[in-house]
Amino acid sequence: MAMSRLSINSFSKSIVKPKNATSVRSSSSSTGSTIASFPKTHPFAFQLMVATSKTSAADMLVQVVAERKSFNEIDWKRNGIFVVFGFAYLGGFQWWLMVTKYRQWFPTMDRFAKLSFANKLKDTAGLIDAAKMVVFDVVVHLPMIYFPTYYTVKEFVSMNSYNPLDWVKDGCTKYSENMKEDLTAMIKLWGPSDCVQFVLPLHIRMPFRHLVSFFWTSYVSFTRGAIEKTDEE
């Protein structure tokens, strides 16, 4: 009888152990699946985090690698320009523009984004809307909204004046001085990049743009990031 009870207990334990192990594996798998699906289930939050961290990291990379500064020499006020701009404009405003408003202005966007690449090539209306998105970005958005906003944010973070009108005026003045060089660089990068972005699935579009923007931000940081010293300083 004792042997019988021992056998039953051993058998019961052998059943419980695999069940627990399976539960742990199932929990780990569920957690991994949740993390992997986060960009698709929470696209706005994901790209907002990417936009902010990427923009700050790009400027830090330029300061440390290209400008050969030590970590203690990093200009945090300058980096703050990119943090504010990355969060508010690249993560917030661009989502509103390129997802919310584009969805209204270009009605084929959602349907076109879900098609396979082969079917996209057959969808004339979708291709026309995608081309319109590219043209709007490089003709209206970047030259008329992006650059004036960046230069204005730079003046705001620099705090050479406490008057918002001065931020806009000084920012736009500096933009006009650099306009030819800025727009030439913009067309060379964002023209081809947009042709890829606007045929991608919707949940990948903004992360892809932020990936390309890492290199663009590095260029902007290197050429336009430095904060000019005022006479008082």
Side-chain angles (χ1 to χ4, degrees):
M1 181 65 94
M3 287 294 292
S4 177
R5 287 178 184 155
L6 182 60
S7 298
I8 291 173
N9 290 338
S10 299
F11 180 71
S12 299
K13 291 178 181 178
S14 68
I15 293 176
V16 171
K17 287 182 179 178
K19 186 176 179 181
N20 290 341
T22 301
S23 177
V24 170
R25 285 196 298 269
S26 177
S27 177
S28 300
S29 176
S30 176
T31 301
S33 177
T34 300
I35 294 172
S37 65
F38 185 80
K40 192 169 184 177
T41 56
H42 301 84
F44 174 72
F46 176 71
Q47 66 85 38
L48 188 65
M49 291 186 290
V50 171
T52 306
S53 57
K54 167 269 307 179
T55 310
S56 174
D59 173 63
M60 290 179 65
L61 182 69
V62 168
Q63 292 198 51
V64 172
V65 178
E67 299 174 9
R68 300 184 180 279
K69 293 180 179 179
S70 69
F71 189 80
N72 292 332
E73 295 173 325
I74 289 177
D75 185 341
W76 293 109
K77 178 182 279 190
R78 163 179 161 177
N79 191 257
I81 296 171
F82 292 94
V83 171
V84 172
F85 190 69
F87 177 83
Y89 188 92
L90 301 181
F93 175 78
Q94 277 197 157
W95 174 272
W96 174 82
L97 177 67
M98 294 190 169
V99 176
T100 305
K101 300 309 293 182
Y102 273 23
R103 183 172 279 132
Q104 298 174 8
W105 299 336
F106 310 110
T108 66
M109 184 178 81
D110 286 289
R111 176 183 57 76
F112 184 74
K114 296 175 183 177
L115 297 176
S116 66
F117 183 73
N119 287 329
K120 282 184 171 75
L121 295 178
K122 301 174 185 177
D123 188 343
T124 303
L127 288 171
I128 290 174
D129 271 355
K132 289 178 181 178
M133 294 180 207
V134 174
V135 172
F136 182 87
D137 194 37
V138 298
V139 174
V140 178
H141 169 226
L142 291 169
M144 298 183 187
I145 305 175
Y146 170 90
F147 276 116
T149 303
Y150 167 74
Y151 281 100
T152 299
V153 170
K154 182 178 177 182
E155 293 302 311
F156 159 67
V157 176
S158 301
M159 276 297 173
N160 292 327
S161 167
Y162 292 97
N163 186 344
L165 293 178
D166 287 338
W167 305 339
V168 176
K169 181 185 71 173
D170 294 345
C172 289
T173 297
K174 290 174 182 176
Y175 172 42
S176 66
E177 294 170 354
N178 300 324
M179 182 177 289
K180 183 177 179 180
E181 185 179 351
D182 285 347
L183 295 185
T184 299
M186 177 269 291
I187 288 290
K188 289 180 178 178
L189 178 66
W190 288 111
S193 171
D194 280 356
C195 292
V196 175
Q197 177 186 340
F198 294 121
V199 299
L200 293 173
L202 286 180
H203 70 281
I204 298 177
R205 287 188 184 183
M206 293 310 293
F208 172 80
R209 188 174 184 88
H210 293 320
L211 174 64
V212 176
S213 181
F214 179 87
F215 300 99
W216 172 254
T217 302
S218 298
Y219 161 79
V220 173
S221 171
F222 187 69
T223 59
R224 305 286 180 252
I227 297 175
E228 296 83 356
K229 300 290 185 180
T230 62
D231 293 339
E232 289 79 3
E233 293 176 315

